[in-house]
Amino acid sequence: MRLSLTMIVKNEEDVLARALSTAAVYADEIVIVDTGSTDKTAEIARRFTDKVFSFPWVDDFSAARNYAVAKSTGDYWIWLDADDVVTLECARKILKIKDALDGKTDIIMLPYVLDRDETGRPLFSYYRERIIRRAPQFMWKGRVHEAIELKGTVVKKAPYILHAKPSERTSGTRNLDIYKKMAAEGEVFTPRDYYYYARELFYSGDMSAAEKAFRKFIDLPGGFSVNKVDACIMLSRCYVKLGDTLSAKRALFESFTFGIPTGEACCEIGIRFLSENDYQSAIYWFKRAHSVKPDIKSGAFIDTDCYGFIPFVWLTVCYDRLGDIENAYRYHLRAKKLRPDHPSVINNDRYFSGILK
């Protein structure tokens, strides 16, 4: 089975070579679709492939990605963004996956890592459809935050793709502008659209509009339960910023109606009680957070720190404020074991060095 790498790019001269550096390990073909670059993106792309095409940008990510798929010829195709990274180790693992393809598997999902700790350990990730069998039913949908509908035989594998956007880059308002254009044109939003529209509003700073959009998504029938849980957490953050702390807590507890309490939700509840100086209640929820096991195959956004490091740091604070230095120090040592070079750990080390003397 042949595997094609498909990418859409625009003004990516600073990262494109990095993304393509290991592509030859696993891809039989590389297809690059440029949506209007004014820098050396196309020139860099041609160092890796002669299949470089132009596509006029029409405010539709799916249209551009489907054009790239149409230009590819593999039995399966894999997609990357220009600021993604595939380590050599993961590239070799993807090659093994490719070599085992037999046409019976429809979609292979791989972890998408969005953040790492000081040592490079993945912190924040979720599964995404990554390797897709060539078939008419597997096409990108959605003008923004596009996705492939999961159907047929879907399996999850271990090698991850690292999203490594340069720190100086800003996301801008492109995604939000597309959603606003869709609304102005009367386009019907799917539950997924409402979910990501709400997130874009939140990160743009429009808390009132984000609160309404998250509420709309949560109340809609349909939509993934893991997205509903995250929406409740995000809704809670909206209320905090709007000064409504009671509604913030209620939104977090509402997340339990969509599944087993997650470490992320328990941490947020703990922080809410901590902000009210209710240390005993905060301790209860932080302990619940680190006792939960993350469901890494659920498709949810997984913040690994919420299942260990973050609860340990806040338990250190809670016990210290209660005057229980012994337990405070015990949880500090647990946090230190996980992330010894984190600024909070370093500061707490100095603190305990002083008082323990």
Side-chain angles (χ1 to χ4, degrees):
M1 293 285 175
R2 297 180 68 254
L3 177 65
S4 300
L5 169 60
T6 66
M7 299 178 67
I8 61 172
V9 298
K10 182 178 180 180
N11 293 335
E12 304 286 3
E13 65 178 5
D14 55 338
V15 293
L16 184 57
R18 182 186 67 179
L20 294 173
S21 62
T22 59
V25 173
Y26 58 87
D28 299 293
E29 173 185 63
I30 300 173
V31 175
I32 309 291
V33 170
D34 192 300
T35 61
S37 295
T38 55
D39 62 3
K40 297 181 179 179
T41 294
E43 177 183 331
I44 294 170
R46 290 190 181 94
R47 298 177 193 167
F48 296 88
T49 179
D50 58 356
K51 294 193 173 183
V52 180
F53 305 93
S54 296
F55 183 83
W57 182 244
V58 292
D59 287 337
D60 190 328
F61 283 91
S62 285
R65 289 200 190 276
N66 286 330
Y67 180 79
V69 173
K71 291 295 185 181
S72 68
T73 62
D75 304 289
Y76 285 80
W77 50 272
I78 182 173
W79 65 276
L80 291 178
D81 285 334
D83 49 5
D84 289 340
V85 172
V86 181
T87 66
L88 182 58
E89 179 184 5
C90 287
R92 288 169 175 162
K93 290 179 179 178
I94 293 172
L95 173 62
K96 291 182 179 179
I97 293 172
K98 187 202 80 166
D99 289 342
L101 291 171
D102 58 6
K104 296 178 181 179
T105 300
D106 293 302
I107 297 174
I108 296 175
M109 303 186 74
L110 302 180
Y112 201 15
V113 175
L114 306 184
D115 193 19
R116 297 186 295 176
D117 69 9
E118 302 81 14
T119 65
R121 178 178 64 93
L123 284 179
F124 190 77
S125 65
Y126 67 109
Y127 270 90
R128 280 225 62 174
E129 66 282 23
R130 187 61 65 174
I131 301 173
I132 297 95
R133 182 173 65 83
R134 179 176 301 282
Q137 66 268 34
F138 298 124
M139 302 292 288
W140 290 101
K141 295 181 180 179
R143 289 171 62 175
V144 61
H145 288 291
E146 64 283 6
I148 302 290
E149 185 178 354
L150 299 181
K151 51 188 175 182
T153 302
V154 181
V155 299
K156 293 182 172 72
K157 297 290 185 179
Y160 65 85
I161 307 298
L162 173 64
H163 187 63
K165 181 170 70 174
S167 58
E168 66 274 9
R169 279 194 181 188
T170 58
S171 299
T173 63
R174 180 181 57 182
N175 292 349
L176 182 57
D177 291 342
I178 293 175
Y179 278 128
K180 288 182 175 179
K181 182 178 180 181
M182 290 167 60
E185 294 174 352
E187 188 167 335
V188 177
F189 277 36
T190 65
R192 179 184 173 85
D193 287 329
Y194 274 114
Y195 171 59
Y196 280 102
Y197 179 39
R199 289 177 63 89
E200 293 291 347
L201 288 166
F202 178 88
Y203 288 115
S204 75
D206 191 343
M207 294 302 129
S208 294
E211 181 267 330
K212 292 181 176 64
F214 279 124
R215 186 74 265 166
K216 175 76 173 179
F217 169 69
I218 292 167
D219 293 340
L220 278 174
F224 294 117
S225 60
V226 293
N227 292 154
K228 300 270 187 174
V229 171
D230 182 68
C232 289
I233 294 172
M234 298 293 290
L235 177 61
S236 173
R237 294 172 182 169
C238 289
Y239 284 130
V240 169
K241 291 183 179 293
L242 292 169
D244 187 349
T245 55
L246 180 58
S247 293
K249 280 200 287 190
R250 286 173 174 165
L252 291 169
F253 285 110
E254 185 179 1
S255 73
F256 298 169
T257 65
F258 299 107
I260 296 172
T262 65
E264 291 84 358
C266 291
C267 276
E268 293 276 342
I269 295 172
I271 290 168
R272 297 273 54 80
F273 281 111
L274 178 60
S275 70
E276 299 168 357
N277 299 326
D278 185 348
Y279 303 121
Q280 294 292 359
S281 295
I283 285 170
Y284 172 85
W285 287 104
F286 288 130
K287 286 185 175 179
R288 285 294 302 272
H290 81 74
S291 69
V292 176
K293 300 298 182 184
D295 186 359
I296 61 173
K297 293 188 176 182
S298 66
F301 295 118
I302 301 295
D303 186 345
T304 307
D305 271 353
C306 287
Y307 297 83
F309 177 72
I310 290 174
F312 295 156
V313 169
W314 286 121
L315 283 165
T316 300
V317 173
C318 289
Y319 278 115
D320 178 72
R321 291 185 182 177
L322 289 171
D324 187 345
I325 302 301
E326 181 180 350
N327 272 317
Y329 187 61
R330 180 162 63 90
Y331 279 106
H332 164 63
L333 292 179
R334 295 183 74 174
K336 184 176 181 178
K337 184 177 180 180
L338 292 175
R339 297 184 67 178
D341 297 322
H342 191 276
S344 294
V345 170
I346 294 171
N347 288 334
N348 285 341
D349 250 348
R350 296 194 189 103
Y351 171 74
F352 283 112
S353 294
I355 65 172
L356 292 178
K357 287 181 180 178

